[in-house]
Amino acid sequence: MNTIGVLTSGGDSPGMNAAIRAVVRTACENGMTVYGINRGYQGLIDDDLCELNIRSVSDIIHRGGTMLRSARCPAFKEEAGMQKAIDTLKKYGIEGMVVIGGDGSFRGARDLSLRGVPCIGIPGTIDNDIVSSDYTIGYDTCLNTIMDMVDRLRDTVESHSRCIVVEVMGNKCGDLTLNSGIAVGATAIVIPEIKSDIEQHVIDRIRRTQKTDKKHFIIMVAEGIGGVEELAKKIQAECGVESRSIVLGHVQRGGSPSARDRVLASRMGYEAVQLLMKGIGNRVVVMKNDKIIDYDIIEALTMKKPVDDTLYNIAHEISI
Ligand code: ADP
Ligand code: F6P
């Protein structure tokens, strides 16, 4: 394989730039030509791409977001869009692709691979919802950003003896909420994976700690659950503690990637190009038990993660 392309797709995540850098440098060092596709699959449809060399990816390893920009592109799921994308790939002689994104982006990579363009997926999303991989690029940075923001909230809720209900991103996955909840010492954590009567659960947790003379409370709620404003009102009414709510929002997705995300991205980017150099496609590069391995994309997309309540139970036990 002499010419490859790289794109970022779906929600951006810190560390995507480090992955692009690893892909470009590994490919260039091995004598390949690399094209960066702008705005995900949309750039393939619009013929919006440019050649990248080892210097094009200088000074990006520490930057959040993605230098290639990202998009959600419904047109790529249509036959006409797919055909335009394939025409663009042919025009530039692109023989293989690295797609950095989440599950949706991998479906696109699978479709392209089935059309004869070998693609390698790299999990890039803050949500940590790629079941085949222990960690996704951006998750660690996001977790630390949430922790930092909630530590600040703790200062003010403690000063005012209040309760704060915090909504955390993660799409349908509770990993960010659960792990940040443990890291900030939340009184209650609500995630989609653990079914409960949410209001009752949170109120019970607060009342229990009130008996031990606790005066301020942090409640972490996954966005897949939502309803933080109503929950704060209910807590105020039922527990007699002044309550506020906050949706942390897109600030969670930005910022300089952590060392862990930069290293993960570099390892995955390198491995993706190794596979393409062997002519292998339709694979997703993942981390399992600190090793970088790869799976068939179709197999990876059908994997299910069993609910593991170990961490949740730990949080329950020690947040009193
Ligand atoms: P993520 O890749 O982070 O899961 P999204 O699902 O929001 O994020 O974005 C996925 C994008 O992948 C879609 O907007 C679309 O551009 C692209 N895509 C391409 N093919 C498919 C497909 N068959 N199914 C879903 N998404 C696809
Ligand atoms: O997938 C990343 C993510 O930030 C999710 O956590 C969230 O549900 C979604 O993207 C938000 O999407 P948008 O940027 O389109 O508002």
Side-chain angles (χ1 to χ4, degrees):
M1 201 172 283
N2 296 314
T3 306
I4 65 167
V6 56
L7 62 78
T8 49
S9 162
D12 64 322
S13 68
M16 279 184 162
N17 277 325
I20 296 167
R21 173 179 177 271
V23 168
V24 172
R25 296 233 167 128
T26 307
C28 289
E29 282 295 282
N30 286 281
M32 296 165 121
T33 301
V34 190
Y35 286 95
I37 320 304
N38 294 316
R39 296 176 295 116
Y41 292 108
Q42 193 64 49
L44 276 184
I45 294 176
D46 298 343
D47 190 352
D48 182 9
L49 64 169
C50 65
E51 193 178 331
L52 300 174
N53 59 40
I54 50 167
R55 288 275 73 81
S56 322
V57 290
S58 293
D59 297 321
I60 63 165
I61 196 163
H62 61 300
R63 296 215 175 114
T66 156
M67 68 170 274
L68 294 175
R69 290 171 286 142
S70 193
R72 296 202 169 93
C73 168
F76 188 75
K77 293 190 224 167
E78 309 296 329
E79 183 53 34
M82 168 64 79
Q83 201 46 59
K84 278 193 187 163
I86 288 176
D87 291 346
T88 305
L89 291 168
K90 281 200 184 127
K91 178 174 164 189
Y92 293 89
I94 298 171
E95 300 155 286
M97 285 289 306
V98 178
V99 172
I100 306 164
D103 271 347
S105 307
F106 294 165
R107 286 194 184 90
R110 171 205 61 197
D111 294 350
L112 263 183
S113 296
L114 295 175
R115 302 289 192 109
V117 183
C119 292
I120 306 295
I122 294 182
T125 164
I126 59 165
D127 299 338
N128 210 38
D129 59 351
I130 304 299
V131 173
S132 54
S133 191
D134 290 344
Y135 295 105
T136 58
I137 297 167
Y139 171 68
D140 181 65
T141 307
C142 182
L143 198 52
N144 282 286
T145 303
I146 297 166
M147 184 180 74
D148 183 51
M149 289 192 289
V150 180
D151 283 351
R152 287 158 195 258
L153 290 169
R154 179 185 280 276
D155 292 343
T156 170
V157 290
E158 185 186 356
S159 304
H160 288 264
S161 299
R162 282 177 176 163
C163 172
I164 185 87
V165 184
V166 185
E167 183 184 300
V168 174
M169 273 191 173
N171 200 2
K172 297 187 182 82
C173 178
D175 283 15
L176 280 171
T177 307
L178 176 57
N179 285 279
S180 61
I182 292 174
V184 301
T187 298
I189 297 171
V190 187
I191 54 173
E193 291 86 345
I194 308 279
K195 305 287 172 219
S196 66
D197 176 339
I198 294 156
E199 281 180 2
Q200 204 48 54
H201 166 73
V202 172
I203 287 163
D204 288 350
R205 298 284 307 165
I206 292 175
R207 284 192 178 139
R208 184 162 170 257
T209 57
Q210 279 175 322
K211 283 190 197 135
T212 63
D213 213 24
K214 193 170 169 63
K215 301 269 186 293
H216 59 279
F217 312 89
I218 297 169
I219 312 299
M220 302 292 276
V221 179
E223 72 172 340
I225 303 279
V228 287
E229 204 181 328
E230 297 71 33
L231 185 57
K233 281 187 190 141
K234 189 89 183 171
I235 291 167
Q236 183 154 323
E238 299 275 329
C239 303
V241 55
E242 196 182 357
S243 301
R244 298 279 189 274
S245 64
I246 181 169
V247 177
L248 294 180
H250 287 82
V251 70
Q252 295 166 94
R253 257 191 5 216
S256 177
S258 65
R260 208 182 153 110
D261 276 330
R262 296 182 199 190
V263 174
L264 180 64
S266 302
R267 291 175 72 184
M268 287 179 164
Y270 171 84
E271 193 54 39
V273 177
Q274 303 302 313
L275 291 170
L276 285 180
M277 282 195 303
K278 291 183 208 141
I280 297 171
N282 199 34
R283 308 289 292 179
V284 52
V285 171
V286 301
M287 178 185 254
K288 275 277 162 202
N289 304 319
D290 206 35
K291 298 224 165 6
I292 303 295
I293 59 166
D294 54 281
Y295 288 115
D296 180 89
I297 294 186
I298 297 167
E299 185 193 345
L301 282 170
T302 53
M303 285 179 184
K304 297 264 179 290
K305 187 155 85 175
V307 176
D308 177 7
D309 54 13
T310 318
L311 267 185
Y312 184 81
N313 290 336
I314 291 173
H316 206 84
E317 194 94 354
I318 64 179
S319 295
I320 46 170

